[in-house]
């Protein structure tokens, strides 16, 4: 009888929702990040009778998906759109990740190409040594900043121009 009771207790505890602190520790993110993800609609939790945030365990996989997508450079709006494409807001599966990541490949390829072009310009810039604000191919290609008027200009990647 004791073994049966122990099994029931373990089953109940494994299905228990995670507190925000438990989720943060298990997922390796700050509680503030989880609150932010929830505010952005990326996560959904509930409140305990005492008003504390709690999350179903499958949210661990959703947080892992968000973090992995951020690691490859996706923005939160892009991640939100990907999650919204899943039926009934379910947690992404391996097949979902494969499908979504295939769609992101052109975006990543464009970023890789932009970084390679930047590396080439940087190498040339170091060799040149001019750092001219009018002629530098890295800081001000074709003096485009001059066309935008007086004042400081930010360095932008090729994909932003």
């Amino acid at each position: 009888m004791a073994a049966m009771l122990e099994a029931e207790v373990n089953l109940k505890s494994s299905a228990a929702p995670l507190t925000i602190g438990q989720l943060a520790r298990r997922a390796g993110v700050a509680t503030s990040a989880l609150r932010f993800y929830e505010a952005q609609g990326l996560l959904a939790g509930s409140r305990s009778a005492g008003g504390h945030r709690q999350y179903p365990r499958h949210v661990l996989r959703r947080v892992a998906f968000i973090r992995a997508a951020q690691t490859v450079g996706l923005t939160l709006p892009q991640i939100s759109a990907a999650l919204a494409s899943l039926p009934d807001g379910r947690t992404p599966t391996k097949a979902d990740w494969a499908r979504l990541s295939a769609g992101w490949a052109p975006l990543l390829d464009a970023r890789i190409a932009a970084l390679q072009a930047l590396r080439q310009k940087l190498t040339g810039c170091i060799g040149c040594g001019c750092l001219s604000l009018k002629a530098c191919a890295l800081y001000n290609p074709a003096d485009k900043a001059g066309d935008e008027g007086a004042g400081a200009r930010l360095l932008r990647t090729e994909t932003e121009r």
Side-chain angles (χ1 to χ4, degrees):
M1 182 74 172
M4 181 184 279
L5 182 59
E6 183 179 331
E8 287 178 24
V9 170
N10 286 340
L11 285 175
K12 286 182 181 177
S13 65
S14 67
L18 298 169
T19 66
I20 192 168
Q22 290 169 326
L23 178 60
R25 281 188 297 281
R26 295 272 310 271
V29 298
T31 57
S32 59
L34 296 173
R35 286 186 199 97
F36 181 74
Y37 294 159
E38 190 171 355
Q40 297 299 307
L42 299 171
L43 301 179
S46 60
R47 296 284 182 160
S48 69
H52 299 284
R53 283 184 169 92
Q54 54 187 17
Y55 301 89
R57 291 182 178 273
H58 67 80
V59 170
L60 277 167
R61 186 172 187 89
R62 198 169 175 96
V63 173
F65 177 89
I66 293 165
R67 299 294 294 150
Q70 285 181 310
T71 299
V72 299
L74 296 176
T75 64
L76 288 180
Q78 290 168 322
I79 296 167
S80 179
L83 289 170
S85 74
L86 300 175
D88 301 323
R90 69 173 162 73
T91 298
T93 64
K94 183 177 179 182
D96 293 327
W97 180 260
R99 178 181 54 81
L100 292 168
S101 64
W104 296 327
L107 173 68
L108 295 176
D109 290 341
R111 286 189 179 155
I112 290 167
L115 286 170
Q116 288 173 332
L118 182 61
R119 181 179 59 203
Q120 291 299 88
K121 287 180 182 179
L122 181 63
T123 301
C125 192
I126 290 171
C128 157
C130 75
L131 293 178
S132 163
L133 293 179
K134 289 190 178 207
C136 182
L138 180 63
Y139 288 113
N140 189 17
D143 196 21
K144 287 184 182 177
D147 295 339
E148 296 176 11
R153 299 288 175 255
L154 299 175
L155 176 63
R156 291 172 266 180
T157 64
E158 292 298 317
T159 58
E160 294 178 281
R161 291 187 193 266

